Amino acid sequence: MNSYLSAMRIYRDFFGRYSRGDYKHFILRYLGIALTGPMLDEAIATSNKDD
């Protein structure tokens, strides 16, 4: 989680580099959030399904 938060804190700093492991952790967590969000939205959706 620290690698994800550090990436979000300094995302506009173009003078440093992340290690390969930090990059992988950031991408995996981002994809997890991006894929889980729509599934939760569909599960909790309260829209009218009769239309």
Side-chain angles (χ1 to χ4, degrees):
M1 189 68 164
N2 289 335
S3 61
Y4 182 78
L5 292 176
S6 68
M8 293 305 290
R9 283 187 200 112
I10 56 174
Y11 70 95
R12 39 177 204 260
D13 183 17
F14 295 107
F15 298 108
R17 293 188 65 164
Y18 290 118
S19 68
R20 186 173 292 165
D22 286 343
Y23 178 73
K24 285 180 186 178
H25 285 120
F26 175 75
I27 293 298
L28 287 174
R29 290 189 195 273
Y30 179 79
L31 286 174
I33 292 168
L35 295 175
T36 305
M39 287 189 282
L40 286 174
D41 183 40
E42 187 66 29
I44 300 173
T46 58
S47 64
N48 188 1
K49 301 286 184 185
D50 293 335
D51 291 337

